[in-house]
Amino acid sequence: MGALILRAASLEELPAVLGFWQVAAENASRPPDTSDAVEAMFRRDPEALILAVDGAEIVGTIIAGWDGWRCHLYRLAVAPWRRREGIGGLLIAAAEERFRSFGGTRVDAMVLDENPAAHGIWAAHGYRRQPDWSRWVKPLPR
């Protein structure tokens, strides 16, 4: 992994992150990501979007969202050509360290049921499916 660095994204990198997610993030059924939505998340919490970069290339992302009460993980994505190198695990560890600094005590992660390849990394890092909860969603009209 040579020059791999984990750090918060910058505002200027958000378009590149959106492009990276087009390649590395599964889930065709989700609403498309927009520049406005990613910028709003960034402006609210500029440290939440953690990147794994190798030189000038983004090779992984995770969003470590803290709402003041709970810790939420979103958008764990690793470049397909860099998977199985430990990048995802490093991103999870960085997000968990961020949560510890806030006093967080429990983390939940958004993981697609139909992405069994992703289930392994989460299980390897101590996460378990919670059988007594379901995620309910509603798009908000603009």
Side-chain angles (χ1 to χ4, degrees), residues 7-18 34-47 49 51 58:
R7 61 170 174 74
S10 69
L11 182 62
E12 296 77 26
E13 291 174 304
L14 298 184
V17 169
L18 283 166
T34 66
S35 295
D36 288 344
V38 175
E39 284 184 29
M41 179 271 303
F42 180 85
R43 291 188 190 289
R44 182 181 179 283
D45 186 354
E47 302 291 315
L49 176 55
L51 303 181
I58 297 171

Side-chain angles (χ1 to χ4, degrees), residues 40-124:
M41 179 271 303
F42 180 85
R43 291 188 190 289
R44 182 181 179 283
D45 186 354
E47 302 291 315
L49 176 55
I50 301 170
L51 303 181
V53 294
D54 189 348
E57 181 183 28
I58 297 171
V59 295
T61 65
I62 195 166
I63 297 174
W66 166 253
D67 64 14
W69 181 53
R70 293 280 187 241
C71 311
H72 308 284
L73 294 175
Y74 310 93
R75 279 297 197 221
L76 175 62
V78 175
W81 57 93
R82 296 293 300 266
R83 291 181 182 160
R84 309 217 40 91
E85 294 181 24
I87 295 169
L90 292 172
L91 286 162
I92 291 169
E96 290 174 352
E97 187 55 37
R98 179 173 198 261
F99 295 146
R100 278 188 209 86
S101 76
F102 296 139
T105 59
R106 186 178 76 173
V107 182
D108 64 61
M110 300 299 296
V111 183
L112 292 170
D113 288 338
E114 283 107 32
N115 188 357
H119 299 173
I121 188 169
W122 291 106

